[in-house]
Amino acid sequence: MSDLRPPEHQVAGHRAAPNKLGPLVDGAGLFYKPLQALDRGEQELAFYTAFSVHPAVPPRIRDKFFPRFHGTRLLPTVANPGESHPHIVLDDLLEGFPSPSVTDIKIGACTWPPRAPEPYVAKCLAKDRGSTSVLLGFRVSGIRVSDAGGAVWLPDRSELKGTDIPGVRRMLGRYVSSVGGDGMDCALAAAVYGGGGGVLAQLRELKAWFEVQTLFHFYSASVLLIYDANAVTAAGGGGGVRVKLVDFAHVVESEGVIDHNFLGGLCSLIKFIADIVAETSDMVSSGDS
Amino acid sequence: MSDLRPPEHQVAGHRAAPNKLGPLVDGAGLFYKPLQALDRGEQELAFYTAFSVHPAVPPRIRDKFFPRFHGTRLLPTVANPGESHPHIVLDDLLEGFPSPSVTDIKIGACTWPPRAPEPYVAKCLAKDRGSTSVLLGFRVSGIRVSDAGGAVWLPDRSELKGTDIPGVRRMLGRYVSSVGGDGMDCALAAAVYGGGGGVLAQLRELKAWFEVQTLFHFYSASVLLIYDANAVTAAGGGGGVRVKLVDFAHVVESEGVIDHNFLGGLCSLIKFIADIVAETSDMVSSGDS
C-alpha cells in the first residue's frame, strides 16, 4: 500500500493530484482506477464484472486485449486520508516496460450511447464534430513517446484537441520516431506497426472479433498502443508491443447487432496506420537506391 | 421515347406522378433519374461523372455494384410537355427480372456529410436517431416482395419508418419468404442470401473494397438487394441476385481515409443477414429431424 503512486506515463484521462482523485499504480503490476462520478464508475465496474466472466468472450481476446480485472478496493483519498474511495483494480498495462511509449486513441465516429440523456449526447456530438472523430472514425486523446535514448515527447492536450487529419498522420508518424531532430524519422514504424506481433497484426485480430461480437457496444472506449523502444529493438519483429482496450464507462449491452461504430473506426485506424507503414517503407526503399 | 414510364417496382425515393418529377424507365434497359433540386442533382451527376472514369476504381467493382452511367438527357416534363428537365441516364437495375423483389437499405449510422450546413445535419441526425440507423448502422427505406406465384407484399412507408431492430429482422426474413401465409417461411433464404453468388457473398466482396478505398464517402447512399424468385429457383445457388449501390447526392470526396461510416454499417448488415441464414438453416435442420 505504501508504494501506491500516480502512474508516470499516463497520457489521457484524469490524473491524481492534491485534492483530486486519479489512478494509482503499485509498481508490482496493479493499476487502481478510482470509480468515476455520475454513475460512470458504477457502469465501468458493471462492465468489468460482466465481461471478466462472460462465457461468450473468447479467453484469448480477453487476455490479449483487455486489462485483467481484480475486483475493487477502497483506498484512502490523498486529500483526506480519513476518507476512502472505491477503486477498480486492473493490470498495469505498462508493467515491464521501463520507458513505455503510449498513444491513447478514442475509437468511433460517435462517442455517445444512443440512449444517453440529451445534454450528454449534445456535448459528445460537439466534441466528435470538433475533433477528427466524425471524419476519421477516431481521435488521438493522448500521446507520449519515449525513445531508445530516453528522450521524451509529450504534446499537451490543447495541441491534441486542435489536430486535423494531417495532424493525426504526423502524430502517428512521430509515435514511431526518435524524439530528437524533427521527430519524423519513423525509425520504428516497421518494428512497432508491422510484423507478426506488431500493432497492425494485433488490430486485425481485434477487428475479426468485432466483426462477429454482438455482446457489447464500446462507446467512447480507447485503444492504447504501447511499446518500449528498447524491447522492440531487442526483440525485433513486433516484440514489446501491446494493444489494449480501456475506458468502459459508456459501454452498453448490444441489442443483437455488432458494434459497427467501433468496428468502422477500427478499420479506419488500421488503414491509416497501414498507409504510414507503406509510405515509410517507400521512403526507406528510395533512400537505399 | 414514347415508351418512357414510371418504374413499376420502385421501393424508395421520389415517384413520378402528374405534376411531379420522378424516375422513368424505357423498358429497354435504361433508367432516367430526374436531376434533384438544391444542388443534389448536380452533386449526384458530378459523382457519376467522376466515378465512371476514375482510374482508381476497380472495373469489377464499378460494373458489379454500380449502375452504369450513360450521361444525361433532357426529357419533357409530364405536367408541362413544353418544358424539359435534365435526367441522369443509368442502367435499369431491375432489367430482365419479370417479378423483382427489392429492398432498399440506407447504409451508415450517420447520413449527413460532416461539412454539410447545420439545418441539414440536424434534420438527418433526427432521422438517424429516430430510425434504426444509429443503433443498427442501417435502415430499411423500402421493400417489395414478389414471390414465385406473383403475389406481392409492399408495406407502406409509415410502417417502415416506425420499425425497430426486431422489425428489421422480420422484414429481412419476409424479404426471402413467400408472400402468403404469415410471410415468414424464409423459403429463399439460402438461395438469395447464401451461396457463391448470393447477397452475403456479394456484400463481402463490396466490404473488401470499402476496407481500402479512400476515394469517396457514401453518405446517405443505399444498397439495393434485388432478386427474381423464379430466376433464383431456376438457377439455384444465388443466380438471379443483384446487389447495387444507388443514391449518390450526398457523396463527398474522401480526405485520404476510408468510409468507416459506410463500412461499419455494411459489416452490421452482413452479420445481421448471416444470422438470419444461420437461424433459418437451424429451423430447416430441426424440421427435418
Side-chain angles (χ1 to χ4, degrees):
Chain A
M1 291 289 283
S2 58
D3 282 348
L4 287 178
R5 56 176 193 271
E8 249 181 278
H9 311 299
Q10 196 192 351
V11 297
H14 307 280
R15 297 178 197 208
N19 297 315
K20 263 179 76 177
L21 281 168
L24 300 166
V25 292
D26 69 357
L30 293 181
F31 180 92
Y32 297 80
K33 181 172 182 173
L35 235 62
Q36 295 176 72
L38 301 171
D39 293 337
R40 287 176 201 174
E42 294 300 335
Q43 284 177 45
E44 182 155 41
L45 178 57
F47 167 76
Y48 272 114
T49 304
F51 181 82
S52 64
V53 297
H54 201 298
V57 174
R60 177 172 164 90
I61 293 293
R62 185 161 40 217
D63 295 347
K64 189 172 173 66
F65 294 112
F66 289 80
R68 187 180 296 269
F69 173 59
H70 301 279
T72 57
R73 188 149 161 195
L74 282 171
L75 293 178
T77 59
V78 177
N80 184 350
E83 285 177 17
S84 62
H85 189 92
H87 289 63
I88 297 175
V89 187
L90 302 166
D91 278 351
D92 178 1
L93 300 175
L94 308 184
E95 170 69 10
F97 284 178
S99 304
S101 293
V102 184
T103 301
D104 180 309
I105 302 175
K106 197 181 277 282
I107 304 288
C110 161
T111 61
W112 41 279
R115 303 190 195 284
E118 204 50 43
Y120 185 73
V121 169
K123 190 177 121 184
C124 291
L125 185 59
K127 279 190 196 173
D128 296 344
R129 295 180 69 189
S131 68
T132 61
S133 292
V134 166
L135 286 168
L136 198 48
F138 61 87
R139 65 180 182 250
V140 176
S141 296
I143 189 164
R144 179 189 195 276
V145 181
S146 177
D147 72 11
V152 170
W153 178 61
L154 181 71
D156 66 43
R157 295 185 192 195
S158 62
E159 193 176 335
L160 293 175
K161 274 189 184 164
T163 300
D164 56 5
I165 293 176
V168 172
R169 189 167 282 120
R170 280 192 302 275
M171 281 194 189
L172 292 179
R174 286 196 74 161
Y175 177 61
V176 290
S177 295
S178 312
V179 172
D182 67 353
M184 277 301 278
D185 57 26
C186 292
L188 295 179
V192 171
Y193 289 148
V199 164
L200 282 174
Q202 295 191 52
L203 290 177
R204 286 186 180 120
E205 184 176 352
L206 188 61
K207 171 190 168 221
W209 183 59
F210 270 90
E211 286 178 337
V212 295
Q213 76 88 6
T214 56
L215 307 171
F216 300 102
H217 284 209
F218 290 84
Y219 291 103
S220 205
S222 284
V223 160
L224 291 188
L225 311 181
I226 309 166
Y227 73 89
D228 183 282
N230 287 301
V232 165
T233 315
V241 177
R242 294 174 190 157
V243 171
K244 299 283 181 179
L245 265 65
V246 296
D247 293 344
F248 306 121
H250 303 287
V251 172
V252 295
E253 281 187 25
S254 169
E255 299 173 46
V257 302
I258 65 164
D259 186 353
H260 50 85
N261 176 63
F262 191 98
L263 176 59
L266 189 59
C267 290
S268 181
L269 178 62
I270 288 171
K271 180 63 165 70
F272 208 79
I273 292 180
D275 285 349
I276 292 173
V277 173
E279 284 156 26
T280 307
S281 100
D282 287 351
M283 268 164 37
V284 172
S285 311
S286 52
D288 283 350
S289 68
Chain B
M1 290 290 283
S2 58
D3 283 348
L4 287 177
R5 57 176 193 270
E8 252 180 277
H9 311 298
Q10 195 191 351
V11 297
H14 307 279
R15 296 177 198 208
N19 298 313
K20 263 180 75 178
L21 281 169
L24 300 165
V25 292
D26 68 357
L30 293 181
F31 180 92
Y32 298 79
K33 180 171 183 174
L35 234 64
Q36 295 176 71
L38 301 172
D39 294 338
R40 286 176 202 174
E42 294 299 334
Q43 284 176 44
E44 182 154 42
L45 178 57
F47 167 75
Y48 273 114
T49 305
F51 181 81
S52 64
V53 296
H54 201 300
V57 175
R60 178 173 163 88
I61 293 293
R62 185 160 41 217
D63 295 347
K64 189 172 173 65
F65 294 111
F66 290 81
R68 187 180 296 269
F69 173 60
H70 301 278
T72 58
R73 188 149 159 193
L74 283 171
L75 294 178
T77 59
V78 177
N80 184 350
E83 285 178 16
S84 63
H85 189 92
H87 288 63
I88 297 175
V89 188
L90 302 165
D91 278 350
D92 178 1
L93 301 175
L94 308 184
E95 169 69 9
F97 284 178
S99 304
S101 292
V102 185
T103 301
D104 179 311
I105 302 175
K106 198 182 276 283
I107 304 288
C110 160
T111 61
W112 42 277
R115 302 190 196 285
E118 204 50 44
Y120 185 73
V121 169
K123 190 178 121 185
C124 291
L125 184 60
K127 280 191 196 172
D128 297 345
R129 295 179 69 189
S131 68
T132 61
S133 293
V134 166
L135 285 168
L136 198 48
F138 61 87
R139 63 181 184 250
V140 176
S141 295
I143 188 163
R144 180 191 194 276
V145 181
S146 177
D147 73 10
V152 169
W153 178 61
L154 181 70
D156 66 45
R157 294 184 192 195
S158 62
E159 194 177 332
L160 293 174
K161 274 187 185 165
T163 301
D164 57 5
I165 292 175
V168 172
R169 190 168 280 117
R170 279 193 302 275
M171 282 194 188
L172 292 179
R174 287 196 75 163
Y175 177 61
V176 291
S177 294
S178 312
V179 172
D182 67 352
M184 279 298 280
D185 57 27
C186 292
L188 295 179
V192 172
Y193 290 149
V199 164
L200 281 175
Q202 294 191 50
L203 289 178
R204 287 186 180 122
E205 184 176 351
L206 189 60
K207 172 191 167 218
W209 182 59
F210 269 91
E211 286 178 337
V212 295
Q213 76 88 8
T214 55
L215 307 171
F216 301 101
H217 284 209
F218 290 85
Y219 291 102
S220 204
S222 283
V223 161
L224 291 188
L225 311 181
I226 308 165
Y227 74 90
D228 182 280
N230 287 301
V232 165
T233 314
V241 177
R242 295 175 189 157
V243 171
K244 299 282 181 180
L245 266 66
V246 295
D247 295 344
F248 305 123
H250 302 287
V251 172
V252 295
E253 283 187 24
S254 167
E255 300 174 46
V257 302
I258 65 165
D259 187 352
H260 50 85
N261 176 62
F262 191 99
L263 176 59
L266 188 60
C267 290
S268 180
L269 178 63
I270 288 170
K271 178 65 166 67
F272 208 78
I273 292 180
D275 285 350
I276 292 173
V277 173
E279 284 156 25
T280 307
S281 100
D282 287 351
M283 267 163 40
V284 171
S285 311
S286 51
D288 284 351
S289 67

